[in-house]
Amino acid sequence: MRVIIVAYFILHTMGIVNAQSWVEISDNISIKSGLSSNYVNAVIQDSDGFIWIGTNQGLNRFDGYNSKTFMYDEFDSNSLSNNWVKSLLEDSNGNIWIGTEGGGLNLYNNLTGEITRFQNDPKDSSSLPSNFISRLYEDSQNRIWIGTLKGLCLYDSKTKKFQKWNGYVTCDDCDHYATSMAEDHLGNLWVADDVYGLFYFNPVLGKYSTPYPKKSSISLNKNFINDLIFDEGLLWIGTDEGLILLNTTTQTIDEIPIDKDPTILNSYIMRMYQAVDSELWVCTKGNGLINYRKSDGNTSIYNSDKNVTAGQKSKSTADVLIDKADNLWVATSGSGLNRFNLRDRVFEHKGVISNNPNSLINNEVRAIHQDLNGFIWLGTNNGVSRYDIKKNQFRNYLEDFEFGEDAVSPRVRVIFRSSNNVLWVGTQSGGLYKYLPQKDMFVLDPNYTYSSANTELYDVQCAYEVDQGVLWIGTGGIGLIEYNTKSNEVKLALGGYSSININERKLIYCIIEKGANEFWTGSDNGLQLINRATNEVKTWKKITGDTTSLIDDKVRSLYQDTNNDLWVGTRNGLSKMIAKTGKFERYSVEDGLASEVIYGIMPGTDGNLWLSTAKGLTRLNTHTMKFKKVELPQNESLDMGAYENGINGTVIVGGPTGFSFFKPTEITFNKIASKVVFTNLQVNYENFKAAKEVSSLDTISLTYDQNNIKIEFSALEYANTQNTSYKYFLKGLNKEWINHGIDHDLTFTNLDPGSYRLYVKGSNRHGDWSEEDATIYIYIKPPWWGTWLFRLAVVAVLLILLIGLYNLKVSNFRRRQKELEEKVEERTIRLKEANDKLEDKNVAISIQKQELEKSLSNLKLTQNKLVHSEKMASLGVLSAGIGHEINNPLNFIQGGSIGIKTGLSRDDINKNDISKWLDIINEGVRRAKEIVISLSHFSRKGDDQMTECQVHEIIDHSLVMLNNKFKHKVKIHKDYCSQAPLILGNDGKLHQLFLNVLSNAEQAIEGNGNIHIDTSVENANLMISIKDDGCGIPEKDLPKVLDPFFTSKSPGEGTGLGLSITHNIIQEHGGEITINSKHKIGTEILIKVPAL
Amino acid sequence: MNEKKAITVLYVDDEEINLYIFKNSFSHKYSVITASSGEEGLAKLSDHQNDIIVVISDMRMPQMNGVEFITEARKIHDHIFYFILTGFEYSNEIKSAIENKIVQKFFTKPFDIEEISQTIEDAVNQINEE
């Protein structure tokens, strides 16, 4: 798809190939990309913006993505009459004329997309004189002139007939091509004929001149003329032997030397194109495309491929066009169509050229510096290159580097010049190098070292001269280093090696000066302002929820402008810190930044900033705060540190594919983005057939089942179509514009019947949106049962039915009413009798109710007491156990302190003894603390709050509390699930719950036994299984164990409320309890609670 | 050699730290033998049956608790003094052991050196009086 166009600038006067050349990347449209043939004869752009490409094998309409091909079809009279397209013309009505070699003329109607054929009819003298068409031309009076093998003719649009203009012809039956036409400022039409030569005539007067020239020494008649261009009294004549200039006023003729390379012959000119900026582009048959600058006569040759030698077909160019966006389209014979944007000529791009020592040393550019001589120094991932712009020469430094033992390769991260004119190179893990101009080599600076420093000192990422001879080095591991090159002192900035909190700012990406001995630094931990005098450090970070804070903590680049406002480039957008307020503004990709990752900020003129980002270069106008993308030849990402504001404002940026530089003043931007056009429409997966061409369609009307619509479109932005973005708005479905990205089609499926209007906008290569929208109405008719008429009919029928039913009901109702009235009277009497009886009973019931309420409240009181007594009982059980558990550690503590005391009093204690005693005391404290922590959870019972509880911890606390009971009796087997499940619960109650269950398990075990505690998470529930191998519960008791007051213990030993309370606690937590038990085998309590 | 060193005390506790503390608290007064379980205590008693005149045992121990150990010991060595050193509780088991004269007295942790010394000396005096 892409080829490289190399331009050799040829010195007009000296006739030698200029050493300067530039390499650019552009598009190639060929068979591979859908073109019908690689032999292109003619190329034009129509007023919509489509590129029409006439080839030896059909006609193509290119929209930037796809080519639509028009070919001859013997069964379709509306198809192209012949596939050999020679000449193309868009007339003033926007229709396309297609001249063919042998098939006559075709007229494409831009509105309907239909083709009308015009062909020679030997019986009709007003038909086309010949089917061999050489050239088409429309004059200022909108007359269409056709050059044919039988000479010139004129098309009459009213009669649709052709009129021969053969006043100059001496043999009417002979073949002679009218090869080219051009109108001069007097209204004369100049015609080149391959037999009769050059002449002109006045179309109104019909008077012919004699063939030219009469007085010149150059016999024009011998030359075969292919093209004529008239420009301000001068006629440019492209011949088979070069370019000739005819001054029509003075009647003088000049040979214009456009091709002075002595190795090639005079150019055979095919076509010419007059550019507005007074450049003439000349297509030659063997020498490629030649650019001729009229002002100074300078010429340059553009070849489609630098590897193609002279005379090869791809050097054979047939037509040339400059479109509205300054794209240069070059039609070739054999290599398809090449596109190259002329504005990109301002960019120079340099990279590695394999096997060429005069090229960049390594493509991964990470540091750039332009010195006072104009040399550009490039630090790469493998050495340094110095580039001399004037001589286009590279000097590469790899062998001359000394490398540290650990340095795998000289990965340069910074190149800078200190005030004493020393050029420094900082490398990743290789330390700091100095350039020695006398030896023209780099040497490692042995003074940049520190005795106890680790290798991170040598990971140099950025640098700044903070005072004369004093460098601040931002490292990739130990923050900021201060290196005094006069005293050779190296220390951590901010007051020495030990005082810095290196965790704060490990990797420093950039350092700039604020003024007054204050410096800004950027790191992954935000923006810092360091006062070098006081060592005071202020830090700014992103504050969530505060849009006036820094946009991101990962700061990559800094620039302080003339208002002292600070621009901060981060990994996630751009911030501007307003000096007066200290508040930050934020800018992101939505505002037009090429990428959210900003590696470099450079000042430009007129309030512009150049932003080097991970997706190329963006220009920011700080007055309007508008961003414009700059399409560099290296449109891949740029890289960290690889930017330089060079001499005279030159912007130099680098990245993974070398470096680019340009003068910002030479850049021009497209003023507006062109209007998007619709290029294809499919309904229910088939191309939609309409009376109009898709691009001209304004309305489509569809049936309810034609509701799958795919529409393709193009912004007709041929440069960098991979970056052309679209947004759309389907009125009737969407509420707002939707960003569609770079896809150039839209699909709507199952659209409901209704009225819609689609709007589409496109962006140009700088990120500007088109002002005018492409739009189309889409009307989907409802099915017959969905129409209003049908709906009204249904409603009417229903209404009639309802009214009928209503009347029927009313008469029935009246009859029933009468019957009912009689019955009611009878019943009322009976009811009164029954009522009297009931009233008597009611009094008795009321007394009973009062009694019941009283006993219920007594019962509640008793229940509360019992619940409390259960708590107290379990607390009692606990305190006994805990007492024992806590006294052991207390014994440790006391024993320890007495041990030390007596030892000291007797003076027979040594350090080891004391240490041992202290260990014992600490062990006592540790155990006591553990018990108290567990106990504190249990005592939180009164608290009703639900919090996030860690069940494993709660079980462990309960186990600690019960340790006294379990010790020497029960072996605990824990199998906790790997994640620590949280539940929403009451901490105290959960402790009571597990204490109860575990305590029950322990009590069920007679002698020694085991308790298994398993937890798992299933379907967002936490499952806890506590299984003992104790006595189990007899089958008859199993249904009752959860009942309050059920107990298997002797009176006084338990309240029988334990499991009941456990059950209540689980229910309060939205859980379930299941008890599986086998008498004499064991019991499993299965608790299921919702996990968080 | 100190005269009082003639008294040999056996202390039984399953916590190593407690044994260490006890030994260090009393070894300047008495000859202290320690055992970390009831079984070991019985073995030590047999080894030193002519020396040990006081046995102090922790209550809560694996396999054999303090009272169980003393009950066993008393079957063979009835002439010596037995005491229980308990973490906290005055349980029914201790209570009945004292009532049945299996155990003379119980002490609680953290232990009071003076109280224990006094009790031992009283007991030894009692023997000497006999």
Side-chain angles (χ1 to χ4, degrees), chain A residues 866-898:
Chain A
L866 276 165
V867 168
H868 187 68
S869 86
E870 162 65 20
K871 281 184 193 171
M872 295 320 286
S874 53
L875 205 59
V877 168
L878 267 173
S879 51
I882 286 158
H884 182 270
E885 282 302 307
I886 217 156
N887 276 337
N888 249 327
L890 282 180
N891 196 43
F892 294 1
I893 297 164
Q894 179 185 279
S897 71
I898 290 174

mmCIF file of all heavy atoms in Angstrom, chain A residues 866-898:
data_model
loop_
_atom_site.group_PDB
_atom_site.id
_atom_site.type_symbol
_atom_site.label_atom_id
_atom_site.label_comp_id
_atom_site.label_asym_id
_atom_site.label_seq_id
_atom_site.Cartn_x
_atom_site.Cartn_y
_atom_site.Cartn_z
ATOM 1 N N LEU A 866 -34.619 -15.088 80.896
ATOM 2 C CA LEU A 866 -33.936 -16.340 80.567
ATOM 3 C C LEU A 866 -32.824 -16.120 79.547
ATOM 4 O O LEU A 866 -31.742 -16.681 79.673
ATOM 5 C CB LEU A 866 -34.950 -17.337 80.009
ATOM 6 C CG LEU A 866 -35.701 -18.097 81.097
ATOM 7 C CD1 LEU A 866 -36.916 -18.761 80.509
ATOM 8 C CD2 LEU A 866 -34.778 -19.116 81.754
ATOM 9 N N VAL A 867 -33.130 -15.306 78.546
ATOM 10 C CA VAL A 867 -32.112 -15.034 77.528
ATOM 11 C C VAL A 867 -30.899 -14.408 78.183
ATOM 12 O O VAL A 867 -29.758 -14.773 77.920
ATOM 13 C CB VAL A 867 -32.669 -14.094 76.432
ATOM 14 C CG1 VAL A 867 -31.543 -13.573 75.540
ATOM 15 C CG2 VAL A 867 -33.690 -14.822 75.605
ATOM 16 N N HIS A 868 -31.158 -13.487 79.109
ATOM 17 C CA HIS A 868 -30.053 -12.847 79.801
ATOM 18 C C HIS A 868 -29.289 -13.863 80.641
ATOM 19 O O HIS A 868 -28.056 -13.875 80.646
ATOM 20 C CB HIS A 868 -30.586 -11.711 80.668
ATOM 21 C CG HIS A 868 -29.491 -10.908 81.283
ATOM 22 N ND1 HIS A 868 -28.656 -10.123 80.532
ATOM 23 C CD2 HIS A 868 -29.089 -10.795 82.575
ATOM 24 C CE1 HIS A 868 -27.784 -9.553 81.323
ATOM 25 N NE2 HIS A 868 -28.020 -9.949 82.584
ATOM 26 N N SER A 869 -30.055 -14.738 81.292
ATOM 27 C CA SER A 869 -29.373 -15.699 82.163
ATOM 28 C C SER A 869 -28.521 -16.646 81.336
ATOM 29 O O SER A 869 -27.467 -17.091 81.781
ATOM 30 C CB SER A 869 -30.384 -16.462 83.024
ATOM 31 O OG SER A 869 -30.881 -17.573 82.338
ATOM 32 N N GLU A 870 -28.971 -16.929 80.086
ATOM 33 C CA GLU A 870 -28.144 -17.759 79.218
ATOM 34 C C GLU A 870 -26.826 -17.050 78.928
ATOM 35 O O GLU A 870 -25.750 -17.638 78.981
ATOM 36 C CB GLU A 870 -28.894 -18.050 77.905
ATOM 37 C CG GLU A 870 -28.030 -18.525 76.745
ATOM 38 C CD GLU A 870 -27.366 -19.871 76.964
ATOM 39 O OE1 GLU A 870 -27.838 -20.636 77.829
ATOM 40 O OE2 GLU A 870 -26.341 -20.144 76.290
ATOM 41 N N LYS A 871 -26.939 -15.753 78.657
ATOM 42 C CA LYS A 871 -25.727 -14.984 78.391
ATOM 43 C C LYS A 871 -24.813 -15.025 79.597
ATOM 44 O O LYS A 871 -23.608 -15.237 79.480
ATOM 45 C CB LYS A 871 -26.069 -13.514 78.096
ATOM 46 C CG LYS A 871 -26.567 -13.256 76.709
ATOM 47 C CD LYS A 871 -26.761 -11.781 76.511
ATOM 48 C CE LYS A 871 -27.551 -11.495 75.243
ATOM 49 N NZ LYS A 871 -27.934 -10.091 75.159
ATOM 50 N N MET A 872 -25.420 -14.823 80.781
ATOM 51 C CA MET A 872 -24.619 -14.794 81.999
ATOM 52 C C MET A 872 -23.990 -16.158 82.237
ATOM 53 O O MET A 872 -22.847 -16.258 82.648
ATOM 54 C CB MET A 872 -25.463 -14.379 83.217
ATOM 55 C CG MET A 872 -25.992 -12.970 83.152
ATOM 56 S SD MET A 872 -24.823 -11.767 82.494
ATOM 57 C CE MET A 872 -23.736 -11.639 83.885
ATOM 58 N N ALA A 873 -24.801 -17.203 81.946
ATOM 59 C CA ALA A 873 -24.284 -18.548 82.162
ATOM 60 C C ALA A 873 -23.080 -18.794 81.275
ATOM 61 O O ALA A 873 -22.036 -19.252 81.745
ATOM 62 C CB ALA A 873 -25.380 -19.574 81.862
ATOM 63 N N SER A 874 -23.229 -18.445 79.996
ATOM 64 C CA SER A 874 -22.086 -18.715 79.134
ATOM 65 C C SER A 874 -20.915 -17.811 79.481
ATOM 66 O O SER A 874 -19.758 -18.212 79.385
ATOM 67 C CB SER A 874 -22.453 -18.561 77.652
ATOM 68 O OG SER A 874 -23.046 -17.321 77.430
ATOM 69 N N LEU A 875 -21.230 -16.646 79.993
ATOM 70 C CA LEU A 875 -20.171 -15.748 80.434
ATOM 71 C C LEU A 875 -19.447 -16.344 81.629
ATOM 72 O O LEU A 875 -18.221 -16.278 81.741
ATOM 73 C CB LEU A 875 -20.770 -14.391 80.802
ATOM 74 C CG LEU A 875 -19.840 -13.198 80.710
ATOM 75 C CD1 LEU A 875 -19.316 -13.054 79.307
ATOM 76 C CD2 LEU A 875 -20.570 -11.928 81.144
ATOM 77 N N GLY A 876 -20.257 -16.971 82.516
ATOM 78 C CA GLY A 876 -19.668 -17.610 83.711
ATOM 79 C C GLY A 876 -18.734 -18.721 83.311
ATOM 80 O O GLY A 876 -17.588 -18.801 83.772
ATOM 81 N N VAL A 877 -19.216 -19.564 82.408
ATOM 82 C CA VAL A 877 -18.403 -20.683 81.925
ATOM 83 C C VAL A 877 -17.099 -20.131 81.362
ATOM 84 O O VAL A 877 -16.007 -20.631 81.638
ATOM 85 C CB VAL A 877 -19.175 -21.460 80.834
ATOM 86 C CG1 VAL A 877 -18.266 -22.423 80.113
ATOM 87 C CG2 VAL A 877 -20.343 -22.192 81.447
ATOM 88 N N LEU A 878 -17.285 -19.071 80.623
ATOM 89 C CA LEU A 878 -16.134 -18.461 79.989
ATOM 90 C C LEU A 878 -15.145 -17.909 80.990
ATOM 91 O O LEU A 878 -13.956 -18.171 80.908
ATOM 92 C CB LEU A 878 -16.594 -17.280 79.145
ATOM 93 C CG LEU A 878 -16.868 -17.575 77.712
ATOM 94 C CD1 LEU A 878 -17.459 -16.327 77.107
ATOM 95 C CD2 LEU A 878 -15.577 -17.945 77.019
ATOM 96 N N SER A 879 -15.676 -17.142 81.951
ATOM 97 C CA SER A 879 -14.758 -16.448 82.834
ATOM 98 C C SER A 879 -13.920 -17.447 83.619
ATOM 99 O O SER A 879 -12.742 -17.201 83.849
ATOM 100 C CB SER A 879 -15.495 -15.482 83.750
ATOM 101 O OG SER A 879 -16.539 -16.159 84.379
ATOM 102 N N ALA A 880 -14.521 -18.605 83.967
ATOM 103 C CA ALA A 880 -13.749 -19.615 84.658
ATOM 104 C C ALA A 880 -12.569 -20.050 83.798
ATOM 105 O O ALA A 880 -11.417 -20.032 84.220
ATOM 106 C CB ALA A 880 -14.632 -20.818 84.980
ATOM 107 N N GLY A 881 -12.909 -20.380 82.558
ATOM 108 C CA GLY A 881 -11.862 -20.863 81.649
ATOM 109 C C GLY A 881 -10.831 -19.792 81.391
ATOM 110 O O GLY A 881 -9.626 -20.026 81.440
ATOM 111 N N ILE A 882 -11.336 -18.590 81.143
ATOM 112 C CA ILE A 882 -10.416 -17.506 80.806
ATOM 113 C C ILE A 882 -9.549 -17.165 81.994
ATOM 114 O O ILE A 882 -8.364 -16.878 81.856
ATOM 115 C CB ILE A 882 -11.197 -16.296 80.287
ATOM 116 C CG1 ILE A 882 -11.677 -16.603 78.884
ATOM 117 C CG2 ILE A 882 -10.346 -15.046 80.278
ATOM 118 C CD1 ILE A 882 -12.828 -15.775 78.477
ATOM 119 N N GLY A 883 -10.138 -17.253 83.187
ATOM 120 C CA GLY A 883 -9.361 -17.004 84.405
ATOM 121 C C GLY A 883 -8.148 -17.893 84.439
ATOM 122 O O GLY A 883 -7.019 -17.439 84.632
ATOM 123 N N HIS A 884 -8.388 -19.150 84.163
ATOM 124 C CA HIS A 884 -7.272 -20.092 84.181
ATOM 125 C C HIS A 884 -6.252 -19.719 83.115
ATOM 126 O O HIS A 884 -5.055 -19.687 83.357
ATOM 127 C CB HIS A 884 -7.787 -21.510 83.959
ATOM 128 C CG HIS A 884 -6.700 -22.531 84.005
ATOM 129 N ND1 HIS A 884 -6.016 -22.911 82.876
ATOM 130 C CD2 HIS A 884 -6.150 -23.217 85.035
ATOM 131 C CE1 HIS A 884 -5.101 -23.795 83.196
ATOM 132 N NE2 HIS A 884 -5.159 -24.010 84.511
ATOM 133 N N GLU A 885 -6.804 -19.397 81.940
ATOM 134 C CA GLU A 885 -5.910 -19.109 80.819
ATOM 135 C C GLU A 885 -5.091 -17.848 81.049
ATOM 136 O O GLU A 885 -3.985 -17.725 80.585
ATOM 137 C CB GLU A 885 -6.734 -18.935 79.536
ATOM 138 C CG GLU A 885 -7.182 -20.240 78.935
ATOM 139 C CD GLU A 885 -6.004 -21.150 78.601
ATOM 140 O OE1 GLU A 885 -5.088 -20.689 77.892
ATOM 141 O OE2 GLU A 885 -5.985 -22.302 79.071
ATOM 142 N N ILE A 886 -5.681 -16.923 81.782
ATOM 143 C CA ILE A 886 -4.998 -15.657 81.957
ATOM 144 C C ILE A 886 -4.018 -15.730 83.118
ATOM 145 O O ILE A 886 -3.030 -15.013 83.168
ATOM 146 C CB ILE A 886 -6.035 -14.528 82.123
ATOM 147 C CG1 ILE A 886 -5.523 -13.269 81.420
ATOM 148 C CG2 ILE A 886 -6.331 -14.215 83.570
ATOM 149 C CD1 ILE A 886 -6.637 -12.349 81.026
ATOM 150 N N ASN A 887 -4.297 -16.627 84.072
ATOM 151 C CA ASN A 887 -3.403 -16.723 85.223
ATOM 152 C C ASN A 887 -2.065 -17.338 84.862
ATOM 153 O O ASN A 887 -1.052 -17.012 85.457
ATOM 154 C CB ASN A 887 -4.072 -17.510 86.351
ATOM 155 C CG ASN A 887 -4.959 -16.581 87.167
ATOM 156 O OD1 ASN A 887 -4.749 -15.374 87.161
ATOM 157 N ND2 ASN A 887 -5.955 -17.147 87.839
ATOM 158 N N ASN A 888 -2.077 -18.239 83.891
ATOM 159 C CA ASN A 888 -0.810 -18.807 83.448
ATOM 160 C C ASN A 888 0.138 -17.731 82.946
ATOM 161 O O ASN A 888 1.238 -17.594 83.457
ATOM 162 C CB ASN A 888 -1.057 -19.852 82.361
ATOM 163 C CG ASN A 888 -0.747 -21.243 82.885
ATOM 164 O OD1 ASN A 888 0.143 -21.403 83.714
ATOM 165 N ND2 ASN A 888 -1.502 -22.229 82.435
ATOM 166 N N PRO A 889 -0.306 -16.917 81.994
ATOM 167 C CA PRO A 889 0.596 -15.836 81.567
ATOM 168 C C PRO A 889 0.950 -14.863 82.692
ATOM 169 O O PRO A 889 2.061 -14.349 82.729
ATOM 170 C CB PRO A 889 -0.172 -15.114 80.466
ATOM 171 C CG PRO A 889 -1.486 -15.728 80.353
ATOM 172 C CD PRO A 889 -1.486 -17.017 81.093
ATOM 173 N N LEU A 890 0.003 -14.631 83.575
ATOM 174 C CA LEU A 890 0.327 -13.730 84.697
ATOM 175 C C LEU A 890 1.447 -14.334 85.538
ATOM 176 O O LEU A 890 2.333 -13.647 86.021
ATOM 177 C CB LEU A 890 -0.903 -13.497 85.571
ATOM 178 C CG LEU A 890 -1.919 -12.496 84.997
ATOM 179 C CD1 LEU A 890 -3.086 -12.342 85.954
ATOM 180 C CD2 LEU A 890 -1.262 -11.132 84.792
ATOM 181 N N ASN A 891 1.396 -15.649 85.657
ATOM 182 C CA ASN A 891 2.444 -16.340 86.396
ATOM 183 C C ASN A 891 3.792 -16.128 85.732
ATOM 184 O O ASN A 891 4.804 -15.937 86.387
ATOM 185 C CB ASN A 891 2.102 -17.826 86.470
ATOM 186 C CG ASN A 891 2.908 -18.541 87.540
ATOM 187 O OD1 ASN A 891 3.072 -18.021 88.646
ATOM 188 N ND2 ASN A 891 3.447 -19.703 87.198
ATOM 189 N N PHE A 892 3.753 -16.132 84.363
ATOM 190 C CA PHE A 892 4.998 -15.890 83.626
ATOM 191 C C PHE A 892 5.547 -14.521 83.992
ATOM 192 O O PHE A 892 6.725 -14.339 84.262
ATOM 193 C CB PHE A 892 4.769 -15.892 82.114
ATOM 194 C CG PHE A 892 4.347 -17.235 81.542
ATOM 195 C CD1 PHE A 892 4.177 -18.355 82.353
ATOM 196 C CD2 PHE A 892 4.136 -17.369 80.168
ATOM 197 C CE1 PHE A 892 3.792 -19.565 81.793
ATOM 198 C CE2 PHE A 892 3.763 -18.568 79.629
ATOM 199 C CZ PHE A 892 3.576 -19.677 80.445
ATOM 200 N N ILE A 893 4.624 -13.559 83.946
ATOM 201 C CA ILE A 893 5.067 -12.175 84.158
ATOM 202 C C ILE A 893 5.622 -12.003 85.557
ATOM 203 O O ILE A 893 6.712 -11.475 85.766
ATOM 204 C CB ILE A 893 3.905 -11.195 83.890
ATOM 205 C CG1 ILE A 893 3.473 -11.301 82.411
ATOM 206 C CG2 ILE A 893 4.279 -9.776 84.244
ATOM 207 C CD1 ILE A 893 2.128 -10.701 82.106
ATOM 208 N N GLN A 894 4.843 -12.506 86.505
ATOM 209 C CA GLN A 894 5.299 -12.362 87.894
ATOM 210 C C GLN A 894 6.607 -13.102 88.112
ATOM 211 O O GLN A 894 7.558 -12.578 88.670
ATOM 212 C CB GLN A 894 4.224 -12.889 88.849
ATOM 213 C CG GLN A 894 4.671 -12.781 90.286
ATOM 214 C CD GLN A 894 3.661 -13.405 91.233
ATOM 215 O OE1 GLN A 894 2.669 -12.775 91.558
ATOM 216 N NE2 GLN A 894 3.908 -14.637 91.648
ATOM 217 N N GLY A 895 6.647 -14.356 87.633
ATOM 218 C CA GLY A 895 7.863 -15.162 87.785
ATOM 219 C C GLY A 895 9.055 -14.440 87.195
ATOM 220 O O GLY A 895 10.139 -14.405 87.785
ATOM 221 N N GLY A 896 8.826 -13.863 86.006
ATOM 222 C CA GLY A 896 9.913 -13.158 85.336
ATOM 223 C C GLY A 896 10.409 -11.986 86.146
ATOM 224 O O GLY A 896 11.623 -11.827 86.354
ATOM 225 N N SER A 897 9.485 -11.198 86.628
ATOM 226 C CA SER A 897 9.920 -10.005 87.343
ATOM 227 C C SER A 897 10.603 -10.379 88.659
ATOM 228 O O SER A 897 11.621 -9.790 89.035
ATOM 229 C CB SER A 897 8.745 -9.058 87.561
ATOM 230 O OG SER A 897 7.865 -9.592 88.500
ATOM 231 N N ILE A 898 10.060 -11.375 89.330
ATOM 232 C CA ILE A 898 10.708 -11.807 90.588
ATOM 233 C C ILE A 898 12.087 -12.384 90.299
ATOM 234 O O ILE A 898 13.064 -12.103 90.986
ATOM 235 C CB ILE A 898 9.815 -12.828 91.320
ATOM 236 C CG1 ILE A 898 8.575 -12.108 91.848
ATOM 237 C CG2 ILE A 898 10.576 -13.497 92.471
ATOM 238 C CD1 ILE A 898 7.541 -13.034 92.458
#
